[in-house]
Amino acid sequence: MSTPANAPWLIVGLGNPGPEYAMNRHNVGFMVVDLLADRIGGRFKRAGKAQAQVVEGRIGPPGPDSRRVVLVKPMSYMNLSGGPVNALRDFYKVPLANIVAVHDELDIDYGVLRLKLGGGDNGHNGLKSMTKAMGPDYHRVRFGIGRPPGRMQVADFVLKDFSPTERKELDYFVDRAADSVECLLAEGLERAQSSYNS
């Protein structure tokens, strides 16, 4: 199915609302879209009736090659992300292929990125909710957080803040993830994968 040239992109950062979750590993998606919002000079505001905050703007060079974007932070908690995202998809008339979910990924080493289109949810509740609401054929920017140490439960690990050691490099990795989103929009998935999948 062809995508209308003027259709916006929904860039969805997955996370949990509230200051107590702000620096959790599970909230790295929020961190990336916050940085993208800073880059385009936007501030998140409530999105009408949808349970989400949004920033509208453009990413890329000024002129016809820039992309209309809606940056999204669902405010519904991770396991209910699909409802707000689907409502915004309907409102902005966004094709599924123009949706990008930015999320934490346990099965990738810390800071490593993997971009892909479609696939399973790998037990990630945010992806599970989005896929249930819309189907799986949206883009993903998977931000590696590694596996829990020892016998720590996954749920405890993802809801803990990044460690002091991890935080030393966190800004760099978040910056790189934001760059990968911009590359995906400007140059397509294959180019973004060859540049950022490490």
Side-chain angles (χ1 to χ4, degrees):
M1 188 180 91
S2 65
T3 298
N6 62 347
W9 286 75
L10 279 190
I11 313 300
V12 181
L14 291 175
N16 288 307
E20 68 272 33
Y21 298 107
M23 291 304 295
N24 286 182
R25 293 181 178 92
H26 223 18
N27 268 43
V28 75
F30 275 17
M31 297 173 200
V32 174
V33 293
D34 280 339
L35 178 56
L36 287 167
D38 284 346
R39 289 182 180 183
I40 64 174
R43 296 184 59 171
F44 280 95
K45 61 183 190 300
R46 191 171 172 83
K49 293 179 181 175
Q51 207 175 354
Q53 292 184 352
V54 298
V55 170
E56 295 181 46
R58 299 190 86 87
I59 283 179
D65 290 336
S66 70
R67 299 284 186 266
R68 279 178 63 209
V69 296
V70 183
L71 306 175
V72 181
K73 293 196 291 189
M75 293 285 118
S76 55
Y77 290 96
M78 184 70 84
N79 59 349
L80 299 172
S81 301
V85 175
N86 203 29
L88 292 168
R89 174 194 173 205
D90 288 345
F91 180 78
Y92 289 103
K93 299 180 171 49
V94 177
L96 194 52
N98 275 30
I99 296 175
V100 182
V102 185
H103 64 92
D104 57 302
E105 178 61 64
L106 285 159
D107 286 339
I108 302 175
D109 289 341
Y110 174 60
V112 173
L113 294 176
R114 293 270 194 280
L115 285 78
K116 69 174 191 170
L117 174 63
D121 57 57
N122 207 21
H124 191 288
N125 287 331
L127 297 181
K128 199 176 289 184
S129 179
M130 284 182 60
T131 296
K132 186 178 177 186
M134 304 181 300
D137 298 327
Y138 51 90
H139 288 87
R140 297 101 188 279
V141 173
R142 305 158 73 205
F143 186 109
I145 61 169
R147 300 294 304 183
R151 296 185 175 185
M152 185 187 289
Q153 293 294 314
V154 165
D156 295 333
F157 179 69
V158 298
L159 292 175
K160 277 197 165 27
D161 288 358
F162 285 101
S163 70
T165 305
E166 289 170 332
R167 278 206 291 272
K168 289 176 184 168
E169 294 183 293
L170 182 60
D171 286 349
Y172 168 75
F173 289 139
V174 168
D175 197 66
R176 195 164 178 272
D179 290 347
S180 78
V181 172
E182 293 184 348
C183 182
L184 170 63
L185 270 56
E187 301 184 57
L189 179 60
E190 284 186 23
R191 182 61 184 269
Q193 286 174 324
S194 67
S195 299
Y196 292 95
N197 282 14
S198 37

